[in-house]
Amino acid sequence: MKKNLLFLTALFYVTSLYAQNNEKHLTNEEFFTQADIVFEGYYLKTVDIYDSKGNDKYNSKFEDCYQIDAYIVQRMYKGPKYNAGDIIYIVSQGSFLGAKDNLERYSGIGFDEISIGLSFPKIGVNCTLDNRLLAIHFLVDSDFPDDVNSKYALYKKYRFLTLFNDFSKNYYSTLFICQDKIIGLDSLAFHEREDFYNYMKQFRGFTVLELPQEEEQLENRE
């Protein structure tokens, strides 16, 4: 039970995004230049949790466990060509075997129903985000150990671009769509989507559609 409460606290109930942590993290420019893939999409579900040392759930340690989450692509900005509706698999370090089932058992909610409270004090915006809402993620190829016995060992996987190994800090590699604004990374804020697109144009490797063309393509896909 203690582990389950720690899991809930560490992973999901984030009340202040940047004010609470003074550790060094990447600059906004480094996120855009160092990411192998940048996409806008939303969390679908957790597909696998495994212990890299082969321990069972009674002997596993938080830092030895890895979680694979499936995300659905809405828009691609950088990296390999994924289409809207494709799935991207993201690996995070830090979890517990059986955590998904325990979350549902003790809290009455599942991984697919998590809401996160975020505060951006420098910008003066507070948000409550459902984990199924759209966000923009900055990723690199995963270098985490695979579970060779899992079918996902053969799938292409990524990890969040961050200096932190702690799963609870993956939000440092995300731009959140909040109150019609795009906010995140190191207090980066765009009040219009067009402003975000114009910002991306200064970096190599990004594909930025003009807004009317983008909306027309999304309507055709739907």
Side-chain angles (χ1 to χ4, degrees):
M1 182 67 175
K2 183 177 180 182
K3 281 188 175 182
N4 296 327
L5 292 175
L6 174 62
F7 177 79
L8 286 171
T9 302
L11 301 192
F12 299 115
Y13 295 115
V14 183
T15 57
S16 179
L17 186 57
Y18 295 109
Q20 68 183 10
N21 199 300
N22 295 319
E23 293 180 79
K24 184 180 183 299
H25 52 278
L26 300 177
T27 66
N28 293 322
E29 292 76 13
E30 287 172 328
F31 275 105
F32 282 84
T33 57
Q34 294 184 21
D36 294 324
I37 178 171
V38 179
F39 80 99
E40 184 172 334
Y42 57 90
Y43 167 85
L44 176 62
K45 62 181 179 179
T46 297
V47 297
D48 194 20
I49 299 175
Y50 59 93
D51 186 308
S52 62
K53 302 293 180 62
N55 295 315
D56 58 30
K57 66 179 180 180
Y58 300 104
N59 297 306
S60 65
K61 297 180 180 179
F62 181 83
E63 63 273 14
D64 292 335
C65 290
Y66 294 83
Q67 179 170 311
I68 304 176
D69 295 322
Y71 283 72
I72 293 183
V73 174
Q74 185 69 53
R75 298 174 176 89
M76 286 298 305
Y77 297 122
K78 181 182 181 182
K81 185 176 180 180
Y82 289 92
N83 297 315
D86 287 348
I87 293 178
I88 286 178
Y89 294 98
I90 302 178
V91 186
S92 299
Q93 182 180 19
S95 190
F96 291 110
L97 298 180
K100 182 176 180 180
D101 294 336
N102 289 338
L103 181 63
E104 295 170 353
R105 181 180 304 118
Y106 291 108
S107 68
I109 60 176
F111 274 31
D112 302 346
E113 303 170 2
I114 297 298
S115 294
I116 305 175
L118 299 176
S119 176
F120 301 85
K122 293 183 181 179
I123 306 165
V125 175
N126 296 310
C127 301
T128 299
L129 301 174
D130 184 274
N131 62 345
R132 284 187 177 274
L133 295 182
L134 285 173
I136 299 162
H137 307 283
F138 293 72
L139 310 174
V140 292
D141 292 344
S142 174
D143 54 3
F144 291 138
D146 275 320
D147 177 4
V148 296
N149 297 315
S150 169
K151 69 176 184 179
Y152 295 99
L154 301 178
Y155 284 51
K156 177 65 177 177
K157 294 181 291 296
Y158 302 91
R159 65 170 176 83
F160 288 99
L161 174 58
T162 175
L163 296 181
F164 305 108
N165 289 327
D166 186 349
F167 183 19
S168 67
K169 296 172 184 172
N170 286 339
Y171 50 78
Y172 277 91
S173 301
T174 302
L175 280 169
F176 300 95
I177 300 174
C178 173
Q179 301 174 7
D180 298 324
K181 299 176 176 60
I182 298 176
I183 302 173
L185 301 184
D186 187 10
S187 297
L188 193 62
F190 304 96
H191 296 277
E192 302 287 343
R193 184 170 285 270
E194 185 175 4
D195 296 334
F196 170 58
Y197 287 180
N198 288 334
Y199 181 85
M200 282 194 295
K201 289 178 181 178
Q202 68 179 300
F203 302 103
R204 291 184 178 180
F206 281 83
T207 299
V208 183
L209 297 175
E210 298 300 325
L211 285 175
Q213 180 184 0
E214 178 192 44
E215 297 305 324
E216 181 179 349
Q217 287 192 9
L218 287 175
E219 289 177 3
N220 291 337
R221 288 169 185 161
E222 292 173 355

mmCIF file with all atom_site columns, all heavy atoms in Angstrom, residues 120-140:
data_model
loop_
_atom_site.group_PDB
_atom_site.id
_atom_site.type_symbol
_atom_site.label_atom_id
_atom_site.label_alt_id
_atom_site.label_comp_id
_atom_site.label_asym_id
_atom_site.label_entity_id
_atom_site.label_seq_id
_atom_site.pdbx_PDB_ins_code
_atom_site.Cartn_x
_atom_site.Cartn_y
_atom_site.Cartn_z
_atom_site.occupancy
_atom_site.B_iso_or_equiv
_atom_site.pdbx_formal_charge
_atom_site.auth_seq_id
_atom_site.auth_comp_id
_atom_site.auth_asym_id
_atom_site.auth_atom_id
_atom_site.pdbx_PDB_model_num
ATOM 1   N N   . PHE A 1 120 ? 1.977  27.683 -13.834 1.00 0.00 ? 120 PHE A N   1
ATOM 2   C CA  . PHE A 1 120 ? 3.043  28.376 -14.560 1.00 0.00 ? 120 PHE A CA  1
ATOM 3   C C   . PHE A 1 120 ? 3.159  29.778 -13.968 1.00 0.00 ? 120 PHE A C   1
ATOM 4   O O   . PHE A 1 120 ? 2.582  30.733 -14.489 1.00 0.00 ? 120 PHE A O   1
ATOM 5   C CB  . PHE A 1 120 ? 2.734  28.444 -16.055 1.00 0.00 ? 120 PHE A CB  1
ATOM 6   C CG  . PHE A 1 120 ? 2.553  27.099 -16.709 1.00 0.00 ? 120 PHE A CG  1
ATOM 7   C CD1 . PHE A 1 120 ? 1.321  26.469 -16.675 1.00 0.00 ? 120 PHE A CD1 1
ATOM 8   C CD2 . PHE A 1 120 ? 3.600  26.458 -17.338 1.00 0.00 ? 120 PHE A CD2 1
ATOM 9   C CE1 . PHE A 1 120 ? 1.139  25.228 -17.269 1.00 0.00 ? 120 PHE A CE1 1
ATOM 10  C CE2 . PHE A 1 120 ? 3.432  25.217 -17.922 1.00 0.00 ? 120 PHE A CE2 1
ATOM 11  C CZ  . PHE A 1 120 ? 2.204  24.602 -17.892 1.00 0.00 ? 120 PHE A CZ  1
ATOM 12  N N   . PRO A 1 121 ? 3.873  29.927 -12.838 1.00 0.00 ? 121 PRO A N   1
ATOM 13  C CA  . PRO A 1 121 ? 3.882  31.213 -12.125 1.00 0.00 ? 121 PRO A CA  1
ATOM 14  C C   . PRO A 1 121 ? 4.449  32.368 -12.931 1.00 0.00 ? 121 PRO A C   1
ATOM 15  O O   . PRO A 1 121 ? 4.007  33.501 -12.772 1.00 0.00 ? 121 PRO A O   1
ATOM 16  C CB  . PRO A 1 121 ? 4.733  30.916 -10.880 1.00 0.00 ? 121 PRO A CB  1
ATOM 17  C CG  . PRO A 1 121 ? 5.543  29.708 -11.231 1.00 0.00 ? 121 PRO A CG  1
ATOM 18  C CD  . PRO A 1 121 ? 4.693  28.906 -12.157 1.00 0.00 ? 121 PRO A CD  1
ATOM 19  N N   . LYS A 1 122 ? 5.428  32.099 -13.808 1.00 0.00 ? 122 LYS A N   1
ATOM 20  C CA  . LYS A 1 122 ? 6.017  33.184 -14.584 1.00 0.00 ? 122 LYS A CA  1
ATOM 21  C C   . LYS A 1 122 ? 5.037  33.747 -15.607 1.00 0.00 ? 122 LYS A C   1
ATOM 22  O O   . LYS A 1 122 ? 5.184  34.876 -16.061 1.00 0.00 ? 122 LYS A O   1
ATOM 23  C CB  . LYS A 1 122 ? 7.284  32.697 -15.301 1.00 0.00 ? 122 LYS A CB  1
ATOM 24  C CG  . LYS A 1 122 ? 8.436  32.343 -14.366 1.00 0.00 ? 122 LYS A CG  1
ATOM 25  C CD  . LYS A 1 122 ? 9.659  31.936 -15.168 1.00 0.00 ? 122 LYS A CD  1
ATOM 26  C CE  . LYS A 1 122 ? 10.820 31.553 -14.253 1.00 0.00 ? 122 LYS A CE  1
ATOM 27  N NZ  . LYS A 1 122 ? 12.024 31.135 -15.025 1.00 0.00 ? 122 LYS A NZ  1
ATOM 28  N N   . ILE A 1 123 ? 4.062  32.942 -15.975 1.00 0.00 ? 123 ILE A N   1
ATOM 29  C CA  . ILE A 1 123 ? 3.118  33.332 -17.014 1.00 0.00 ? 123 ILE A CA  1
ATOM 30  C C   . ILE A 1 123 ? 1.756  33.678 -16.417 1.00 0.00 ? 123 ILE A C   1
ATOM 31  O O   . ILE A 1 123 ? 0.938  34.350 -17.033 1.00 0.00 ? 123 ILE A O   1
ATOM 32  C CB  . ILE A 1 123 ? 2.961  32.196 -18.045 1.00 0.00 ? 123 ILE A CB  1
ATOM 33  C CG1 . ILE A 1 123 ? 4.344  31.797 -18.583 1.00 0.00 ? 123 ILE A CG1 1
ATOM 34  C CG2 . ILE A 1 123 ? 2.072  32.597 -19.208 1.00 0.00 ? 123 ILE A CG2 1
ATOM 35  C CD1 . ILE A 1 123 ? 4.360  30.486 -19.311 1.00 0.00 ? 123 ILE A CD1 1
ATOM 36  N N   . GLY A 1 124 ? 1.524  33.227 -15.189 1.00 0.00 ? 124 GLY A N   1
ATOM 37  C CA  . GLY A 1 124 ? 0.270  33.515 -14.536 1.00 0.00 ? 124 GLY A CA  1
ATOM 38  C C   . GLY A 1 124 ? -0.880 32.667 -15.025 1.00 0.00 ? 124 GLY A C   1
ATOM 39  O O   . GLY A 1 124 ? -2.026 33.129 -15.086 1.00 0.00 ? 124 GLY A O   1
ATOM 40  N N   . VAL A 1 125 ? -0.600 31.401 -15.377 1.00 0.00 ? 125 VAL A N   1
ATOM 41  C CA  . VAL A 1 125 ? -1.634 30.504 -15.878 1.00 0.00 ? 125 VAL A CA  1
ATOM 42  C C   . VAL A 1 125 ? -1.653 29.239 -15.034 1.00 0.00 ? 125 VAL A C   1
ATOM 43  O O   . VAL A 1 125 ? -0.610 28.669 -14.729 1.00 0.00 ? 125 VAL A O   1
ATOM 44  C CB  . VAL A 1 125 ? -1.386 30.140 -17.362 1.00 0.00 ? 125 VAL A CB  1
ATOM 45  C CG1 . VAL A 1 125 ? -2.396 29.101 -17.835 1.00 0.00 ? 125 VAL A CG1 1
ATOM 46  C CG2 . VAL A 1 125 ? -1.448 31.376 -18.246 1.00 0.00 ? 125 VAL A CG2 1
ATOM 47  N N   . ASN A 1 126 ? -2.846 28.822 -14.640 1.00 0.00 ? 126 ASN A N   1
ATOM 48  C CA  . ASN A 1 126 ? -3.041 27.541 -13.962 1.00 0.00 ? 126 ASN A CA  1
ATOM 49  C C   . ASN A 1 126 ? -3.940 26.670 -14.816 1.00 0.00 ? 126 ASN A C   1
ATOM 50  O O   . ASN A 1 126 ? -4.918 27.150 -15.383 1.00 0.00 ? 126 ASN A O   1
ATOM 51  C CB  . ASN A 1 126 ? -3.670 27.742 -12.583 1.00 0.00 ? 126 ASN A CB  1
ATOM 52  C CG  . ASN A 1 126 ? -2.775 28.523 -11.646 1.00 0.00 ? 126 ASN A CG  1
ATOM 53  O OD1 . ASN A 1 126 ? -1.607 28.203 -11.496 1.00 0.00 ? 126 ASN A OD1 1
ATOM 54  N ND2 . ASN A 1 126 ? -3.315 29.558 -11.033 1.00 0.00 ? 126 ASN A ND2 1
ATOM 55  N N   . CYS A 1 127 ? -3.608 25.394 -14.909 1.00 0.00 ? 127 CYS A N   1
ATOM 56  C CA  . CYS A 1 127 ? -4.365 24.483 -15.762 1.00 0.00 ? 127 CYS A CA  1
ATOM 57  C C   . CYS A 1 127 ? -4.636 23.174 -15.033 1.00 0.00 ? 127 CYS A C   1
ATOM 58  O O   . CYS A 1 127 ? -3.832 22.733 -14.217 1.00 0.00 ? 127 CYS A O   1
ATOM 59  C CB  . CYS A 1 127 ? -3.585 24.144 -17.037 1.00 0.00 ? 127 CYS A CB  1
ATOM 60  S SG  . CYS A 1 127 ? -3.164 25.550 -18.055 1.00 0.00 ? 127 CYS A SG  1
ATOM 61  N N   . THR A 1 128 ? -5.743 22.571 -15.360 1.00 0.00 ? 128 THR A N   1
ATOM 62  C CA  . THR A 1 128 ? -5.999 21.187 -15.000 1.00 0.00 ? 128 THR A CA  1
ATOM 63  C C   . THR A 1 128 ? -6.128 20.413 -16.292 1.00 0.00 ? 128 THR A C   1
ATOM 64  O O   . THR A 1 128 ? -7.019 20.670 -17.099 1.00 0.00 ? 128 THR A O   1
ATOM 65  C CB  . THR A 1 128 ? -7.281 21.041 -14.166 1.00 0.00 ? 128 THR A CB  1
ATOM 66  O OG1 . THR A 1 128 ? -7.139 21.789 -12.958 1.00 0.00 ? 128 THR A OG1 1
ATOM 67  C CG2 . THR A 1 128 ? -7.521 19.579 -13.829 1.00 0.00 ? 128 THR A CG2 1
ATOM 68  N N   . LEU A 1 129 ? -5.192 19.510 -16.518 1.00 0.00 ? 129 LEU A N   1
ATOM 69  C CA  . LEU A 1 129 ? -5.104 18.814 -17.791 1.00 0.00 ? 129 LEU A CA  1
ATOM 70  C C   . LEU A 1 129 ? -5.441 17.345 -17.628 1.00 0.00 ? 129 LEU A C   1
ATOM 71  O O   . LEU A 1 129 ? -4.899 16.665 -16.759 1.00 0.00 ? 129 LEU A O   1
ATOM 72  C CB  . LEU A 1 129 ? -3.687 18.940 -18.366 1.00 0.00 ? 129 LEU A CB  1
ATOM 73  C CG  . LEU A 1 129 ? -3.183 20.357 -18.619 1.00 0.00 ? 129 LEU A CG  1
ATOM 74  C CD1 . LEU A 1 129 ? -1.729 20.309 -19.032 1.00 0.00 ? 129 LEU A CD1 1
ATOM 75  C CD2 . LEU A 1 129 ? -4.006 21.045 -19.679 1.00 0.00 ? 129 LEU A CD2 1
ATOM 76  N N   . ASP A 1 130 ? -6.313 16.861 -18.451 1.00 0.00 ? 130 ASP A N   1
ATOM 77  C CA  . ASP A 1 130 ? -6.565 15.431 -18.536 1.00 0.00 ? 130 ASP A CA  1
ATOM 78  C C   . ASP A 1 130 ? -5.467 14.820 -19.390 1.00 0.00 ? 130 ASP A C   1
ATOM 79  O O   . ASP A 1 130 ? -5.018 15.416 -20.373 1.00 0.00 ? 130 ASP A O   1
ATOM 80  C CB  . ASP A 1 130 ? -7.932 15.188 -19.178 1.00 0.00 ? 130 ASP A CB  1
ATOM 81  C CG  . ASP A 1 130 ? -8.286 13.711 -19.211 1.00 0.00 ? 130 ASP A CG  1
ATOM 82  O OD1 . ASP A 1 130 ? -7.863 13.053 -20.184 1.00 0.00 ? 130 ASP A OD1 1
ATOM 83  O OD2 . ASP A 1 130 ? -8.961 13.232 -18.304 1.00 0.00 ? 130 ASP A OD2 1
ATOM 84  N N   . ASN A 1 131 ? -4.997 13.619 -19.024 1.00 0.00 ? 131 ASN A N   1
ATOM 85  C CA  . ASN A 1 131 ? -3.876 13.049 -19.764 1.00 0.00 ? 131 ASN A CA  1
ATOM 86  C C   . ASN A 1 131 ? -4.235 12.605 -21.179 1.00 0.00 ? 131 ASN A C   1
ATOM 87  O O   . ASN A 1 131 ? -3.376 12.190 -21.935 1.00 0.00 ? 131 ASN A O   1
ATOM 88  C CB  . ASN A 1 131 ? -3.246 11.883 -18.995 1.00 0.00 ? 131 ASN A CB  1
ATOM 89  C CG  . ASN A 1 131 ? -4.210 10.726 -18.778 1.00 0.00 ? 131 ASN A CG  1
ATOM 90  O OD1 . ASN A 1 131 ? -5.414 10.867 -18.946 1.00 0.00 ? 131 ASN A OD1 1
ATOM 91  N ND2 . ASN A 1 131 ? -3.676 9.589  -18.393 1.00 0.00 ? 131 ASN A ND2 1
ATOM 92  N N   . ARG A 1 132 ? -5.515 12.717 -21.545 1.00 0.00 ? 132 ARG A N   1
ATOM 93  C CA  . ARG A 1 132 ? -5.908 12.412 -22.920 1.00 0.00 ? 132 ARG A CA  1
ATOM 94  C C   . ARG A 1 132 ? -5.952 13.665 -23.799 1.00 0.00 ? 132 ARG A C   1
ATOM 95  O O   . ARG A 1 132 ? -6.208 13.568 -25.000 1.00 0.00 ? 132 ARG A O   1
ATOM 96  C CB  . ARG A 1 132 ? -7.271 11.725 -22.952 1.00 0.00 ? 132 ARG A CB  1
ATOM 97  C CG  . ARG A 1 132 ? -7.228 10.258 -22.531 1.00 0.00 ? 132 ARG A CG  1
ATOM 98  C CD  . ARG A 1 132 ? -8.574 9.599  -22.738 1.00 0.00 ? 132 ARG A CD  1
ATOM 99  N NE  . ARG A 1 132 ? -8.554 8.193  -22.405 1.00 0.00 ? 132 ARG A NE  1
ATOM 100 C CZ  . ARG A 1 132 ? -8.191 7.228  -23.247 1.00 0.00 ? 132 ARG A CZ  1
ATOM 101 N NH1 . ARG A 1 132 ? -7.823 7.523  -24.471 1.00 0.00 ? 132 ARG A NH1 1
ATOM 102 N NH2 . ARG A 1 132 ? -8.198 5.966  -22.867 1.00 0.00 ? 132 ARG A NH2 1
ATOM 103 N N   . LEU A 1 133 ? -5.717 14.830 -23.209 1.00 0.00 ? 133 LEU A N   1
ATOM 104 C CA  . LEU A 1 133 ? -5.747 16.057 -24.001 1.00 0.00 ? 133 LEU A CA  1
ATOM 105 C C   . LEU A 1 133 ? -4.465 16.187 -24.825 1.00 0.00 ? 133 LEU A C   1
ATOM 106 O O   . LEU A 1 133 ? -3.425 15.631 -24.501 1.00 0.00 ? 133 LEU A O   1
ATOM 107 C CB  . LEU A 1 133 ? -5.907 17.266 -23.088 1.00 0.00 ? 133 LEU A CB  1
ATOM 108 C CG  . LEU A 1 133 ? -7.226 17.345 -22.323 1.00 0.00 ? 133 LEU A CG  1
ATOM 109 C CD1 . LEU A 1 133 ? -7.267 18.617 -21.488 1.00 0.00 ? 133 LEU A CD1 1
ATOM 110 C CD2 . LEU A 1 133 ? -8.417 17.311 -23.276 1.00 0.00 ? 133 LEU A CD2 1
ATOM 111 N N   . LEU A 1 134 ? -4.559 16.955 -25.886 1.00 0.00 ? 134 LEU A N   1
ATOM 112 C CA  . LEU A 1 134 ? -3.405 17.156 -26.767 1.00 0.00 ? 134 LEU A CA  1
ATOM 113 C C   . LEU A 1 134 ? -2.277 17.878 -26.043 1.00 0.00 ? 134 LEU A C   1
ATOM 114 O O   . LEU A 1 134 ? -2.510 18.797 -25.252 1.00 0.00 ? 134 LEU A O   1
ATOM 115 C CB  . LEU A 1 134 ? -3.822 17.964 -27.989 1.00 0.00 ? 134 LEU A CB  1
ATOM 116 C CG  . LEU A 1 134 ? -4.641 17.242 -29.059 1.00 0.00 ? 134 LEU A CG  1
ATOM 117 C CD1 . LEU A 1 134 ? -5.106 18.246 -30.119 1.00 0.00 ? 134 LEU A CD1 1
ATOM 118 C CD2 . LEU A 1 134 ? -3.838 16.134 -29.709 1.00 0.00 ? 134 LEU A CD2 1
ATOM 119 N N   . ALA A 1 135 ? -1.043 17.472 -26.352 1.00 0.00 ? 135 ALA A N   1
ATOM 120 C CA  . ALA A 1 135 ? 0.156  18.157 -25.891 1.00 0.00 ? 135 ALA A CA  1
ATOM 121 C C   . ALA A 1 135 ? 1.239  17.923 -26.935 1.00 0.00 ? 135 ALA A C   1
ATOM 122 O O   . ALA A 1 135 ? 1.106  17.064 -27.812 1.00 0.00 ? 135 ALA A O   1
ATOM 123 C CB  . ALA A 1 135 ? 0.592  17.642 -24.524 1.00 0.00 ? 135 ALA A CB  1
ATOM 124 N N   . ILE A 1 136 ? 2.312  18.685 -26.861 1.00 0.00 ? 136 ILE A N   1
ATOM 125 C CA  . ILE A 1 136 ? 3.410  18.591 -27.822 1.00 0.00 ? 136 ILE A CA  1
ATOM 126 C C   . ILE A 1 136 ? 4.615  18.019 -27.085 1.00 0.00 ? 136 ILE A C   1
ATOM 127 O O   . ILE A 1 136 ? 5.058  18.560 -26.070 1.00 0.00 ? 136 ILE A O   1
ATOM 128 C CB  . ILE A 1 136 ? 3.726  19.967 -28.426 1.00 0.00 ? 136 ILE A CB  1
ATOM 129 C CG1 . ILE A 1 136 ? 2.490  20.489 -29.179 1.00 0.00 ? 136 ILE A CG1 1
ATOM 130 C CG2 . ILE A 1 136 ? 4.927  19.885 -29.364 1.00 0.00 ? 136 ILE A CG2 1
ATOM 131 C CD1 . ILE A 1 136 ? 2.505  21.961 -29.452 1.00 0.00 ? 136 ILE A CD1 1
ATOM 132 N N   . HIS A 1 137 ? 5.121  16.888 -27.588 1.00 0.00 ? 137 HIS A N   1
ATOM 133 C CA  . HIS A 1 137 ? 6.143  16.113 -26.889 1.00 0.00 ? 137 HIS A CA  1
ATOM 134 C C   . HIS A 1 137 ? 7.468  16.142 -27.640 1.00 0.00 ? 137 HIS A C   1
ATOM 135 O O   . HIS A 1 137 ? 7.496  16.016 -28.870 1.00 0.00 ? 137 HIS A O   1
ATOM 136 C CB  . HIS A 1 137 ? 5.672  14.671 -26.729 1.00 0.00 ? 137 HIS A CB  1
ATOM 137 C CG  . HIS A 1 137 ? 4.317  14.559 -26.084 1.00 0.00 ? 137 HIS A CG  1
ATOM 138 N ND1 . HIS A 1 137 ? 4.127  14.711 -24.738 1.00 0.00 ? 137 HIS A ND1 1
ATOM 139 C CD2 . HIS A 1 137 ? 3.086  14.338 -26.622 1.00 0.00 ? 137 HIS A CD2 1
ATOM 140 C CE1 . HIS A 1 137 ? 2.846  14.565 -24.454 1.00 0.00 ? 137 HIS A CE1 1
ATOM 141 N NE2 . HIS A 1 137 ? 2.189  14.340 -25.582 1.00 0.00 ? 137 HIS A NE2 1
ATOM 142 N N   . PHE A 1 138 ? 8.564  16.250 -26.887 1.00 0.00 ? 138 PHE A N   1
ATOM 143 C CA  . PHE A 1 138 ? 9.918  16.296 -27.427 1.00 0.00 ? 138 PHE A CA  1
ATOM 144 C C   . PHE A 1 138 ? 10.631 15.018 -27.007 1.00 0.00 ? 138 PHE A C   1
ATOM 145 O O   . PHE A 1 138 ? 10.838 14.775 -25.811 1.00 0.00 ? 138 PHE A O   1
ATOM 146 C CB  . PHE A 1 138 ? 10.652 17.529 -26.896 1.00 0.00 ? 138 PHE A CB  1
ATOM 147 C CG  . PHE A 1 138 ? 10.078 18.832 -27.388 1.00 0.00 ? 138 PHE A CG  1
ATOM 148 C CD1 . PHE A 1 138 ? 8.863  19.299 -26.914 1.00 0.00 ? 138 PHE A CD1 1
ATOM 149 C CD2 . PHE A 1 138 ? 10.752 19.582 -28.351 1.00 0.00 ? 138 PHE A CD2 1
ATOM 150 C CE1 . PHE A 1 138 ? 8.321  20.492 -27.378 1.00 0.00 ? 138 PHE A CE1 1
ATOM 151 C CE2 . PHE A 1 138 ? 10.220 20.782 -28.808 1.00 0.00 ? 138 PHE A CE2 1
ATOM 152 C CZ  . PHE A 1 138 ? 8.999  21.227 -28.328 1.00 0.00 ? 138 PHE A CZ  1
ATOM 153 N N   . LEU A 1 139 ? 11.022 14.207 -27.995 1.00 0.00 ? 139 LEU A N   1
ATOM 154 C CA  . LEU A 1 139 ? 11.525 12.868 -27.713 1.00 0.00 ? 139 LEU A CA  1
ATOM 155 C C   . LEU A 1 139 ? 12.861 12.610 -28.387 1.00 0.00 ? 139 LEU A C   1
ATOM 156 O O   . LEU A 1 139 ? 13.221 13.274 -29.367 1.00 0.00 ? 139 LEU A O   1
ATOM 157 C CB  . LEU A 1 139 ? 10.523 11.816 -28.214 1.00 0.00 ? 139 LEU A CB  1
ATOM 158 C CG  . LEU A 1 139 ? 9.055  11.968 -27.807 1.00 0.00 ? 139 LEU A CG  1
ATOM 159 C CD1 . LEU A 1 139 ? 8.210  10.916 -28.526 1.00 0.00 ? 139 LEU A CD1 1
ATOM 160 C CD2 . LEU A 1 139 ? 8.884  11.862 -26.306 1.00 0.00 ? 139 LEU A CD2 1
ATOM 161 N N   . VAL A 1 140 ? 13.574 11.624 -27.866 1.00 0.00 ? 140 VAL A N   1
ATOM 162 C CA  . VAL A 1 140 ? 14.759 11.071 -28.520 1.00 0.00 ? 140 VAL A CA  1
ATOM 163 C C   . VAL A 1 140 ? 14.593 9.553  -28.555 1.00 0.00 ? 140 VAL A C   1
ATOM 164 O O   . VAL A 1 140 ? 13.732 8.991  -27.868 1.00 0.00 ? 140 VAL A O   1
ATOM 165 C CB  . VAL A 1 140 ? 16.064 11.449 -27.784 1.00 0.00 ? 140 VAL A CB  1
ATOM 166 C CG1 . VAL A 1 140 ? 16.335 12.936 -27.904 1.00 0.00 ? 140 VAL A CG1 1
ATOM 167 C CG2 . VAL A 1 140 ? 16.000 11.026 -26.320 1.00 0.00 ? 140 VAL A CG2 1
#
